Amino acid sequence: MRRRTAIGAAGALALAGTRAFAQQAIVVKFSHVVTNDTPKGKGALKFKELAEKYTGGKVKVEVYPNSTLYKDKEEMDALNSGAVQLLAPSTAKFRPIGVPEFEAMDLPYIFDGDAGYEKTVKGPIGKSLMKKLEPKGITGLAFWDNGFHMVSANTPLLMPADFQGLKIRISGSKVADLYFRALGALPQIMAFSEVYQALQTGVVDGCENTPSNYYTQKFFEVQKHITVSSHAHLQYAVIANSKFWNGLPPDIRAQLDKAMDEATDYTNSIANKENVDALAEIKASGKAELHYLTPEQKKAWQAAMAPTYQWAKGRVGSEVLDVLSRATKV
Ligand code: LMR
């Protein structure tokens, strides 16, 4: 009798637990490394707003911006282990995942302006790149835009020779490593959260990034010269842990897909203006001098960086490169 009571009590407890679980919101942790006040930061908050609205609160999205939860490499490990469910790393950080095709998107001058970039990621090549993540247990949900890179140092960077011997922080891309080496610089991989201090203390001489990142991380306060070179593009792939994503109830997943589609449209619609505004703020601060390349200078950069394409052919295959180069033509 005593035993039966004990089992009954345990059963009741388990049932109550299940009910409590059923009522509990599904928590989606979304970690990233930039501030809330950037295209990606705003996009993550928009996704949270829409996901919670469309699921009627069944999903709770916790956004952790500005490396507050994880730094660059740690966040990839955290997605893999299931400690977070969503990330939006730049494609430059996909090297450890082992999908080299993503690196082609970091090639210098690969996209034909903003329109060429947009056309590319919205086209079949964008989808086929995302498909390559599946065997890695990662589901690619969307590409988020953050415009073209600038590059900076405490000396003006106008011709390839100006890069000679400078230590330049890069975020992880093998392609960026190669194009900076081709210019004579010494690239160093470093987590985004460490860049400001490294620039301030002279651990590195310079870096590349988009205006919104320069502005919100205050890089412009510790760099005297910024070249608005648009030499490469910064894009993010929003990715989920596949086990988590595929394990969601179908109705919830459909609502999250809808929230992601709309958050993507929103992010991509504000990216350009966010960067234009950030550049205007940097200029107005008077703290860094902005430089724009003449057509001759741009040609010299392109020629110096061209060997990167040879390398990329061997790494990602000429087929992907050809498709990418054709897809971007507007
Ligand atoms: C960087 O590390 O330079 C950027 O990728 C940061 C970001 O997410 O925009």
Side-chain angles (χ1 to χ4, degrees), residues 28-74:
V28 177
K29 290 191 174 143
F30 189 163
S31 171
H32 66 79
V33 300
V34 294
T35 70
N36 280 329
D37 207 15
T38 55
K40 177 162 65 180
K42 291 184 179 180
L45 292 175
K46 178 60 80 179
F47 173 71
K48 171 183 168 63
E49 174 201 320
L50 296 175
E52 293 179 354
K53 184 169 124 191
Y54 293 153
T55 60
K58 285 187 193 143
V59 167
K60 187 172 173 317
V61 180
E62 294 175 0
V63 178
Y64 297 92
N66 214 18
S67 311
T68 42
L69 195 57
Y70 297 111
K71 295 201 247 175
D72 302 351
K73 191 180 164 314
E74 299 161 1

Side-chain angles (χ1 to χ4, degrees), residues 4-323:
R4 284 235 309 271
T5 311
I7 291 168
L13 213 66
L15 195 66
T18 314
R19 280 203 195 110
F21 183 73
Q23 283 158 9
Q24 244 168 34
I26 299 168
V27 175
V28 177
K29 290 191 174 143
F30 189 163
S31 171
H32 66 79
V33 300
V34 294
T35 70
N36 280 329
D37 207 15
T38 55
K40 177 162 65 180
K42 291 184 179 180
L45 292 175
K46 178 60 80 179
F47 173 71
K48 171 183 168 63
E49 174 201 320
L50 296 175
E52 293 179 354
K53 184 169 124 191
Y54 293 153
T55 60
K58 285 187 193 143
V59 167
K60 187 172 173 317
V61 180
E62 294 175 0
V63 178
Y64 297 92
N66 214 18
S67 311
T68 42
L69 195 57
Y70 297 111
K71 295 201 247 175
D72 302 351
K73 191 180 164 314
E74 299 161 1
E75 67 174 19
M76 287 294 198
D77 296 339
L79 187 81
N80 201 20
S81 72
V84 294
Q85 289 72 40
L86 275 186
L87 300 176
S90 67
T91 54
K93 292 178 186 168
F94 277 59
R95 182 147 64 130
I97 297 179
V99 187
E101 288 85 351
F102 270 81
E103 296 172 17
M105 300 181 84
D106 299 323
L107 280 164
Y109 302 105
I110 182 91
F111 295 118
D112 199 356
D114 286 319
Y117 160 76
E118 206 177 306
K119 188 167 169 274
T120 307
V121 293
K122 282 191 174 159
I125 181 84
K127 283 192 187 65
S128 89
L129 281 171
M130 290 302 204
K131 269 218 145 344
K132 292 187 190 296
L133 296 171
E134 279 172 16
K136 312 283 176 189
I138 293 173
T139 301
L141 301 174
F143 283 108
W144 285 4
D145 186 8
N146 193 7
F148 286 92
H149 278 296
M150 317 194 286
V151 62
S152 64
N154 286 320
T155 47
L157 302 170
L158 300 174
M159 285 298 280
D162 300 331
F163 285 85
Q164 196 57 47
L166 292 183
K167 285 177 273 165
I168 304 282
R169 179 268 175 179
I170 57 168
S171 64
S173 167
K174 182 72 188 163
V175 169
D177 179 275
L178 288 167
Y179 62 64
F180 279 123
R181 276 185 206 284
L183 291 170
L186 305 167
Q188 290 187 16
I189 296 176
M190 183 182 288
F192 188 60
S193 57
E194 291 163 13
V195 180
Y196 177 87
Q197 209 185 357
L199 292 170
Q200 190 184 36
T201 56
V203 168
V204 290
D205 302 303
C207 65
E208 63 172 356
N209 232 302
T210 59
S212 60
N213 278 342
Y214 268 87
Y215 183 59
T216 53
Q217 298 292 328
K218 301 188 174 25
F219 296 162
F220 69 101
E221 293 184 356
V222 286
Q223 293 279 267
K224 290 197 174 68
H225 295 273
I226 301 176
T227 304
V228 188
S229 49
S230 304
H231 61 279
H233 194 270
L234 177 55
Q235 58 279 322
Y236 308 113
V238 186
I239 52 176
N241 176 306
S242 298
K243 218 156 131 196
F244 169 78
W245 199 256
N246 296 335
L248 287 168
D251 57 328
I252 298 274
R253 202 166 73 207
Q255 286 149 350
L256 293 189
D257 278 335
K258 180 168 146 70
M260 182 55 70
D261 284 350
E262 290 176 23
T264 297
D265 286 345
Y266 166 78
T267 310
N268 293 339
S269 75
I270 63 164
N272 190 41
K273 185 171 182 324
E274 291 283 318
N275 280 305
V276 169
D277 291 351
L279 193 59
E281 293 285 355
I282 293 170
K283 192 170 180 193
S285 79
K287 293 202 165 141
E289 192 177 335
L290 299 182
H291 302 277
Y292 293 82
L293 298 179
T294 64
E296 289 72 32
Q297 288 165 338
K298 185 177 168 189
K299 253 194 210 141
W301 286 44
Q302 282 177 312
M305 290 172 163
T308 317
Y309 277 78
Q310 260 324 101
W311 171 88
K313 247 185 211 160
R315 178 139 170 105
V316 309
S318 44
E319 206 185 311
V320 172
L321 276 192
D322 289 349
V323 173

